[in-house]
Amino acid sequence: MSIFEAILLTVITASTPLVIAALGELVTERSGVLNLGVEGMMIMGAVGAFATAQLTGSAYIGIVGGVVSGALFSLFFAFLTLTLVANQVATGLALTILGLGASGMLGEAFVGAPGVRLLPIEIPVLSAIPYVGTVLFKQDLIFYLSILLVIAVNWFLFKSRTGLKIRAIGDNHASAHALGIDVIRMRYLAVMFGGACAGLAGAQLSLIYTPQWTENMSGGRGWIALALVVFASWRPWRLLAGGYLFGAVTILQLHAQAFGIGIPSQFLSMLPYAATVVVLLIISHNRRTTLINTPASLGKAFVPDR
Amino acid sequence: MRIELEKRPDVSKLFGFVSPLLALVLTLTFGAIMFAMLGKDPVEALEAFFIEPLLEVWSLHELAIKAAPLILIAVGLAVCYRSNNWNIGAEGQFTIGAITGSYLPIIFYDWHSPLVLPLMLILGALGGALFAAVPALLKAHFNTNEILTSLMLVYIAQLFLDWLIRGAWRDPKGFNFPVSRDFAPEAVLPAIWEESGRAHWAFIFAIIAAVGAWFMLRYTLKGFEIVVLGQSERAGRFAGFSSKKMIWFSFLFSGALAGLAGISEVSGSIGHLQPAISPGYGFTAIIVAFLGRLNPLGIIASGLVLALTYLGGEAAQLSLGVSDKVTRVFQGLLLFFVLSCDTLIYYKIRLVWSRVGGRAA
């Protein structure tokens, strides 16, 4: 394998969890709910996936464990913000704080345990294509899933009837309610989809990225995923591109450290976070485009009048 | 079964007081269940966690030490949140405040003067405020989401501290450990009542900040401006208030308090700079602010409660052998219950048992 291929492979591995987690949040936000708990759901997915993979010996069941953990954990958020109309920003923060604590406690038994690694699947014929083949068609299941998910979510949001309803409640929940759409129920489902995706992203971290459990292993990726949604202005394809941009920055930083560039490693490690700030700055600079693209009901509580 | 909400005609004063207490009770109940599931006697565990740390004088001093940064930061955050500005990067402002405040005792360690300590505190507050100015600038002038930018800056601040401590500011006599040189005695924040324990002046700063902020919010025009702009930017504009200026004010104010908390912690409790200077005070302060219902006087009480979870976590680790992560779980649960119980202040909650009825579908 050439260095070029090796770097591309690591970029993909670093980008996949960002893309998946951000995609889930994109659907949640399209429905008008701002869930800042992505980091917490992601780390719960990571510990859930690692634990199920350990106990069953199968990385595939581990994936399911991660997805279910993320989705169930998101129900806390849904109940508080949708049923009890609690402040979404504060509840999202609570979800992250609780997730980081609970995952540390649940994962304590697994610290240092050798993980069950999810192995790549080689797609015959296509994987034989020079350069591109090994990179794109000899990947793990979660990578293929991430691409399929982008396609599916894009179709779902802009081509399907339910997708139209989701966008409608995100833009104006009062009118959508008047049209007979069950706003609360749709939002529950959208939040759970976001949780499931964050859980899947977490599973990627603990089964592929570093197949072991370490505390706080999400390392701020959930927050970067949130920034990605803004960067993508709530569109799946832009989100895919943005996810790979951020993944590339993360990896460049690692390679630059390996090559011994004269910049202290701490400054290189700042790069993904600094890049997030810069990108947000550039995107939000144009007030009009952000206003047009942001779901108008984003972050606003909805209480149906009875 | 379904839950229905009915808006109260007036905000319930009763529940404004009862709901934080209810949240505490619920957290304790769930904590007991959690301990039982971990195979510990729940009563014994809760006693070790929440009662024993309160029984000895030295331990009360430790409580004040842990409560001080929480209260200082949370008071700033409360002003921010009330004005609808979401600074969640206090942990970073705390870190930068600790760094800028440590500049004098580390670089000019030969300078002995009673001026050192006040200057350190001022530098710490300035550093925190300057660091908070970044998300403020980005929000006020480029419309950038302050939640995300202030949070990203936390990681940057922590890496910067790590670089300083392993590089330029490392103690040459520190056996290669990543710590700075110890502060000279005149750079150490004095204890309040040395005969009985370690609690230092940071706690007094915290009380002054809380009372001051309470006075500002309640009796001054600035306080009125904060509340009006927080409730409705439009209404604030009609009243002639500028939301841009409010972004600057609230971020600089909360950043300065977080920075002051940072330098106070390093100077009063630790005595030098090191890579880990905070057990998550900046994030826990968010819980403190909400548990205190964003009221500075309430925050004094809630700061003490959250400080107790840190102390109790340490105690329970020793006496019961449970993980120190229990502390974080308790804190997260508490915030959850606080937020859900707050619903009672604004709404009447009705359980509807029948499948049909209530609302026509």
Side-chain angles (χ1 to χ4, degrees):
Chain A
M1 203 187 324
S2 67
I3 286 191
F4 171 73
E5 283 169 307
I7 291 181
L8 263 186
L9 269 179
T10 48
V11 167
I12 287 180
T13 317
S15 311
T16 305
L18 295 178
V19 169
I20 299 175
L23 197 65
E25 178 68 14
L26 185 145
V27 173
T28 307
E29 291 192 13
R30 276 278 184 181
S31 81
V33 181
L34 178 66
N35 184 355
L36 294 180
V38 181
E39 179 88 359
M41 301 187 297
M42 202 185 214
I43 195 86
M44 286 305 274
V47 78
F50 192 86
T52 21
Q54 278 283 311
L55 298 175
T56 60
S58 156
Y60 286 101
I61 303 180
I63 295 180
V64 178
V67 170
V68 171
S69 312
L72 286 182
F73 195 56
S74 73
L75 274 178
F76 280 112
F77 176 86
F79 179 71
L80 249 70
T81 57
L82 302 177
T83 303
L84 296 180
V85 292
N87 180 310
Q88 293 182 7
V89 172
T91 310
L93 292 173
L95 201 68
T96 291
I97 291 173
L98 187 64
L100 290 173
S103 65
M105 207 169 83
L106 296 169
E108 206 152 56
F110 298 108
V111 173
V116 184
R117 199 193 163 89
L118 188 70
L119 295 171
I121 305 167
E122 199 170 339
I123 295 182
V125 188
L126 287 176
S127 59
I129 305 171
Y131 296 110
V132 193
T134 35
V135 175
L136 289 182
F137 300 108
K138 206 180 156 188
Q139 281 284 353
D140 55 83
L141 177 70
I142 299 184
F143 164 74
Y144 299 128
L145 271 179
S146 73
I147 303 297
L148 285 179
L149 270 172
V150 171
I151 299 170
V153 165
N154 194 61
W155 175 85
F156 170 76
L157 278 178
F158 299 107
K159 296 275 158 26
S160 80
R161 205 179 151 78
T162 320
L164 179 70
K165 284 184 188 167
I166 292 224
R167 285 186 292 134
I169 60 173
D171 274 330
N172 189 336
H173 46 214
S175 332
H177 174 69
L179 286 173
I181 302 175
D182 193 340
V183 175
I184 305 283
R185 186 193 149 98
M186 296 279 271
R187 284 192 172 162
Y188 257 94
L189 294 173
V191 167
M192 282 181 79
F193 179 76
C197 285
L200 181 62
Q204 198 267 7
L205 292 179
S206 65
L207 298 176
I208 295 164
Y209 199 86
T210 42
Q212 55 180 355
W213 168 254
T214 44
E215 216 186 306
N216 297 341
M217 65 184 295
S218 49
R221 284 188 186 82
W223 296 104
I224 294 182
L226 276 159
L228 255 177
V229 181
V230 182
F231 170 81
S233 52
W234 295 269
R235 284 172 191 280
W237 286 110
R238 280 190 214 170
L239 186 144
L240 184 70
Y244 276 80
L245 194 73
F246 277 88
V249 171
T250 316
I251 291 306
L252 271 183
Q253 165 255 122
L254 287 176
H255 283 282
Q257 286 185 27
F259 281 121
I261 290 179
I263 305 170
S265 67
Q266 289 93 344
F267 285 93
L268 291 169
S269 305
M270 286 178 197
L271 270 180
Y273 308 112
T276 308
V277 174
V278 172
V279 163
L280 279 174
L281 167 67
I282 296 169
I283 295 295
S284 352
H285 181 48
N286 191 338
R287 201 176 278 253
R288 204 182 296 147
T289 49
T290 35
L291 271 184
I292 289 173
N293 287 312
T294 316
S297 296
L298 187 59
K300 291 184 187 135
F302 174 69
V303 187
D305 45 336
R306 299 179 206 273
Chain B
M1 190 190 87
R2 219 175 47 233
I3 294 173
E4 279 190 358
L5 300 182
E6 188 191 328
K7 195 148 185 122
R8 290 178 192 277
D10 293 304
V11 173
S12 163
K13 279 229 171 71
L14 173 71
F15 277 106
F17 182 71
V18 169
S19 89
L21 298 179
L22 191 62
L24 275 177
V25 171
L26 282 171
T27 308
L28 289 180
T29 313
F30 271 74
I33 295 172
M34 184 174 73
F35 280 127
M37 290 199 320
L38 290 170
K40 313 281 172 196
D41 179 2
V43 177
E44 199 186 316
L46 287 183
E47 201 184 325
F49 215 101
F50 291 106
I51 309 284
E52 272 163 28
L54 295 175
L55 297 181
E56 287 185 66
V57 178
W58 68 267
S59 183
L60 290 176
H61 276 265
E62 297 300 311
L63 192 72
I65 288 177
K66 294 214 155 56
L70 292 175
I71 297 171
L72 269 173
I73 302 170
V75 164
L77 292 184
V79 167
C80 253
Y81 297 168
R82 278 236 181 150
S83 68
N84 210 11
N85 288 299
W86 293 91
N87 177 10
I88 58 170
E91 184 84 2
Q93 292 138 25
F94 178 96
T95 307
I96 295 296
I99 294 173
T100 50
S102 303
Y103 180 72
L104 284 181
I106 291 177
I107 304 297
F108 296 99
Y109 55 92
D110 275 337
W111 186 41
H112 303 284
S113 150
L115 278 177
V116 172
L117 198 57
L119 282 176
M120 280 166 63
L121 296 173
I122 293 170
L123 278 177
L126 273 180
L130 272 180
F131 205 57
V134 179
L137 175 83
L138 295 181
K139 181 179 183 186
H141 294 281
F142 303 100
N143 194 29
T144 310
N145 183 316
E146 77 276 21
I147 297 173
L148 294 171
T149 51
S150 64
L151 195 100
M152 290 295 130
L153 289 171
V154 173
Y155 295 95
I156 291 178
Q158 284 169 344
L159 287 162
F160 183 68
L161 172 66
D162 197 71
W163 170 75
L164 264 183
I165 288 304
R166 288 173 205 278
W169 285 17
R170 181 178 6 216
D171 182 1
K173 298 190 203 84
F175 304 104
N176 250 350
F177 279 113
V179 291
S180 79
R181 114 183 16 251
D182 279 334
F183 290 4
E186 68 274 356
V188 170
L189 210 53
I192 302 172
W193 185 24
E194 208 159 351
E195 290 76 39
S196 62
R198 298 197 308 144
H200 50 76
W201 271 71
F203 190 69
I204 295 182
F205 299 155
I207 301 298
I208 295 173
V211 174
W214 173 77
F215 186 83
M216 173 179 75
L217 284 171
R218 187 154 180 157
Y219 292 110
T220 65
L221 181 64
K222 194 81 201 164
F224 181 64
E225 195 182 328
I226 290 168
V227 177
V228 169
L229 276 172
Q231 276 165 359
S232 159
E233 202 193 316
R234 255 170 77 85
R237 260 210 316 274
F238 285 127
F241 301 144
S242 153
S243 59
K244 233 179 219 183
K245 277 188 192 148
M246 184 50 69
I247 295 172
W248 279 104
F249 174 79
S250 63
F251 267 86
L252 292 181
F253 182 76
S254 61
L257 285 185
L260 180 64
I263 184 58
S264 306
E265 177 72 10
V266 167
S267 152
S269 310
I270 307 176
H272 55 246
L273 270 186
Q274 60 191 35
I277 52 172
S278 155
Y281 285 139
F283 296 111
T284 307
I286 299 171
I287 307 175
V288 173
F290 279 103
L291 181 61
R293 308 230 63 257
L294 303 183
N295 174 339
L297 296 186
I299 284 171
I300 297 179
S302 63
L304 289 167
V305 171
L306 266 296
L308 186 58
T309 63
Y310 277 121
L311 269 194
E314 287 169 12
Q317 209 182 340
L318 290 175
S319 63
L320 299 167
V322 295
S323 147
D324 59 331
K325 275 61 172 204
V326 173
T327 305
R328 271 253 170 272
V329 175
F330 259 117
Q331 294 176 348
L333 277 179
L334 186 57
L335 183 50
F336 258 113
F337 285 124
V338 168
L339 293 169
S340 37
C341 289
D342 271 5
T343 305
L344 291 169
I345 302 173
Y346 303 101
Y347 297 95
K348 280 183 196 152
I349 294 184
R350 255 204 319 260
L351 296 179
V352 182
W353 295 95
S354 61
R355 288 181 61 92
V356 272
R359 180 173 63 103

